[in-house]
Amino acid sequence: MKIFKSKAGQMRVIESILASFILVSAITFVSTFAVTPQSSTYEVGALEKLGHNALHGLDEEKLLSGFVYNQSEWSSNFTAALRISLPSDVYFDLRMSDLNGTLLNPNIPIRYGDPEVFNNSDSIASVTYCIAGYSRFDSTKGSEVKYEPRTLILLLVRE
Amino acid sequence: MLLRLKKDRKGQFIIIATLLIAIMIISVASIMYGAVTYFRHERWEEYLSVIDAVKTNSRRIVEMSLANYTLTEDQAILKSNLEKWQRDLLETYSGLGIGLGSSLNNETQEIYGVTLQYNMGLAKDWNKQVSFSAANVTFDLNLTSVGLYGYKFITPVFLKMEIIDALYFESSNEVGVRLIIQREEMIPINDLQAANFVKLQVDGENKTFTFRHYFDIDTLNAFVYELRYSSQTQPSSITTAVSAVDSRGIKVEGNATLNVT
């Protein structure tokens, strides 16, 4: 007898559950469009920033031109400097070319990480950085000034 | 009729509840939209990184040109290098609508407390007690892909050498010529080695010298380079000429007649 009398209250409960269900559905639907820090869209942007900061930091420290215009530094100090400048879970592959687009380091990889990762990852970031030339004084060679632009393309992917 | 209205009260409630839920959904959706698009606003940072790279390399071009000018006296080198750089930038950052203009200073300008006469953006005032090498370019950057027009930045490059004094050291029979070397914004240069001083001439004669550098906190309150050469007696005065090249390859030459104390 009492159960029949409370029918209206049960309806309110059902309405509340339905309302909650609609709300959760709406939030779930909208969140599929979200560009959150974890999403691949944001990841590429974050890697680009890391890559640019690494190259620009080396340039501001007056190290970059010394690495770029000295082939003996490519696989040793240049690679090491980039590994130090980037987080340990970020793999990189740096390609260097002249203004004609000729790749200058096809046989000397400036790389950290498995090359396969660059083929398989969905979130690969690419940073282009240009360096115009160099002027320096060396105690053995004296003054050297050279205008010879190089384009650096740094590919980055998270492990 | 009244009875029927009373009977349909529950249906009215459902309509009101549906409206409220719709309002809630729209509100939540608008808040979520604001949250999901928040990170998209950071995309313009990639253009800032291009601007940074252009500024850094434009400064490098000015430094290279000044270094070349102080070595070869080629007054047109800055103009020539800037023309090449402006053309090469278009190829390197194609698709961004990048355009870099420049105006070379051709006027007399007071900078860091000294008056310099620029010619095609370059100036040197050498063979004095206080000598300079300088360059000054105003750049004008356009990045049409992001609607950036007329972004101006000035790139002064500067090297100053001041011959301070000459001291006699009886204990070692040496004369020490003391110098202060500064770059733009009067920042002391403290990384020079003996090889950077390519010439020390005293009374017209080249001298071999030993090299010291230290911060003189007592009298000069500055970073000082001291070039010492042997002299069995204390001269009353000397005329000295010094040439120095900094790590960027920029050269400056100074000349002074000093009382030896």
Side-chain angles (χ1 to χ4, degrees):
Chain A
M1 186 69 180
K2 205 173 177 181
I3 290 169
F4 285 111
K5 270 189 180 172
S6 306
K7 245 187 222 172
Q10 288 167 351
M11 199 58 208
R12 300 285 180 277
V13 172
I14 293 164
E15 280 170 2
S16 305
I17 292 167
L18 280 172
S20 309
F21 179 73
I22 291 166
L23 276 175
V24 170
S25 310
I27 292 167
T28 312
F29 176 71
V30 175
S31 66
T32 56
F33 299 103
V35 182
T36 59
Q38 288 78 35
S39 73
S40 60
T41 312
Y42 184 72
E43 171 69 353
V44 170
L47 286 172
E48 281 173 356
K49 244 185 282 179
L50 278 173
H52 174 77
N53 285 344
L55 291 173
H56 193 249
L58 291 174
D59 204 2
E60 288 289 304
E61 293 293 323
K62 314 281 182 202
L63 294 170
L64 192 61
S65 61
F67 292 147
V68 169
Y69 295 98
N70 192 349
Q71 193 173 322
S72 63
E73 301 270 0
W74 291 356
S75 59
S76 53
N77 289 339
F78 197 3
T79 307
L82 284 172
R83 279 188 68 174
I84 291 164
S85 305
L86 292 164
S88 57
D89 63 339
V90 172
Y91 289 165
F92 62 82
D93 186 4
L94 188 119
R95 292 161 194 184
M96 205 184 302
S97 58
D98 61 16
L99 277 178
N100 301 322
T102 310
L103 192 62
L104 300 172
N105 63 326
N107 303 318
I108 308 170
I110 304 168
R111 184 189 297 144
Y112 169 61
D114 185 355
E116 277 302 302
V117 178
F118 293 93
N119 299 328
N120 301 329
S121 176
D122 295 329
S123 306
I124 301 176
S126 170
V127 177
T128 303
Y129 196 89
C130 182
I131 184 159
Y134 64 91
S135 66
R136 63 185 169 217
F137 179 83
D138 187 87
S139 57
T140 50
K141 295 176 188 168
S143 292
E144 285 182 287
V145 183
K146 201 164 192 179
Y147 178 85
E148 196 174 282
R150 296 269 187 264
T151 304
L152 312 181
I153 298 169
L154 182 63
L155 301 177
L156 297 150
V157 64
R158 214 176 282 275
E159 188 181 344
Chain B
M1 185 70 176
L2 196 66
L3 198 70
R4 199 171 171 182
L5 269 173
K6 275 185 183 175
K7 268 188 181 174
D8 289 349
R9 240 190 246 162
K10 276 183 191 167
Q12 287 163 351
F13 177 78
I14 287 168
I15 291 166
I16 294 164
T18 311
L19 279 171
L20 284 172
I21 289 166
I23 291 164
M24 280 162 62
I25 290 170
I26 292 164
S27 307
V28 170
S30 66
I31 292 164
M32 284 297 292
Y33 182 77
V36 300
T37 53
Y38 176 77
F39 288 101
R40 286 183 188 159
H41 291 301
E42 294 201 350
R43 296 300 298 159
W44 57 267
E45 286 197 4
E46 74 181 74
Y47 297 106
L48 281 186
S49 65
V50 172
I51 294 168
D52 272 349
V54 171
K55 283 176 77 173
T56 305
N57 279 286
S58 298
R59 162 169 286 279
R60 179 177 283 120
I61 293 287
V62 179
E63 287 175 351
M64 282 165 51
S65 304
L66 180 60
N68 203 318
Y69 169 63
T70 57
L71 294 170
T72 64
E73 308 254 330
D74 181 358
Q75 195 81 45
I77 189 70
L78 179 57
K79 187 172 184 284
S80 156
N81 279 343
L82 286 173
E83 282 168 359
K84 282 190 273 183
W85 173 234
Q86 285 154 8
R87 192 183 58 235
D88 294 340
L89 255 186
L90 284 172
E91 287 179 30
T92 308
Y93 295 108
S94 58
L96 289 179
I98 203 163
L100 184 69
S102 60
S103 64
L104 306 179
N105 199 330
N106 277 313
E107 297 165 352
T108 304
Q109 194 178 44
E110 182 148 330
I111 185 165
Y112 307 124
V114 293
T115 306
L116 288 170
Q117 172 61 53
Y118 289 97
N119 183 6
M120 297 177 84
L122 297 163
K124 68 177 185 180
D125 190 8
W126 284 7
N127 300 319
K128 295 185 176 165
Q129 187 157 2
V130 182
S131 304
F132 312 91
S133 297
N136 196 328
V137 183
T138 303
F139 289 97
D140 192 342
L141 178 66
N142 297 331
L143 214 56
T144 54
S145 59
V146 284
L148 177 75
Y149 296 94
Y151 174 66
K152 285 191 191 302
F153 57 95
I154 300 169
T155 307
V157 177
F158 187 75
L159 184 66
K160 172 187 166 190
M161 178 167 72
E162 184 173 2
I163 302 171
I164 303 293
D165 54 17
L167 307 172
Y168 188 70
F169 299 92
E170 275 184 8
S171 56
S172 56
N173 290 333
E174 286 177 316
V175 175
V177 177
R178 301 203 300 169
L179 319 156
I180 294 174
I181 300 183
Q182 292 164 315
R183 56 184 293 169
E184 49 275 6
E185 293 174 16
M186 305 315 276
I187 297 168
I189 292 182
N190 56 12
D191 62 347
L192 302 186
Q193 301 302 317
N196 291 89
F197 293 92
V198 291
K199 182 176 84 177
L200 172 65
Q201 220 171 55
V202 177
D203 297 328
E205 187 186 332
N206 284 326
K207 296 284 184 186
T208 53
F209 58 90
T210 56
F211 164 84
R212 286 170 179 76
H213 55 87
Y214 53 89
F215 192 88
D216 183 352
I217 202 160
D218 299 324
T219 52
L220 299 169
N221 196 29
F223 193 86
V224 173
Y225 291 96
E226 190 178 296
L227 311 181
R228 286 194 190 187
Y229 66 91
S230 293
S231 174
Q232 293 306 311
T233 56
Q234 179 179 347
S236 57
S237 74
I238 56 168
T239 298
T240 183
V242 182
S243 295
V245 184
D246 74 359
S247 58
R248 301 172 291 181
I250 300 168
K251 188 179 176 186
V252 64
E253 288 189 5
N255 197 319
T257 299
L258 307 164
N259 291 322
V260 181
T261 55

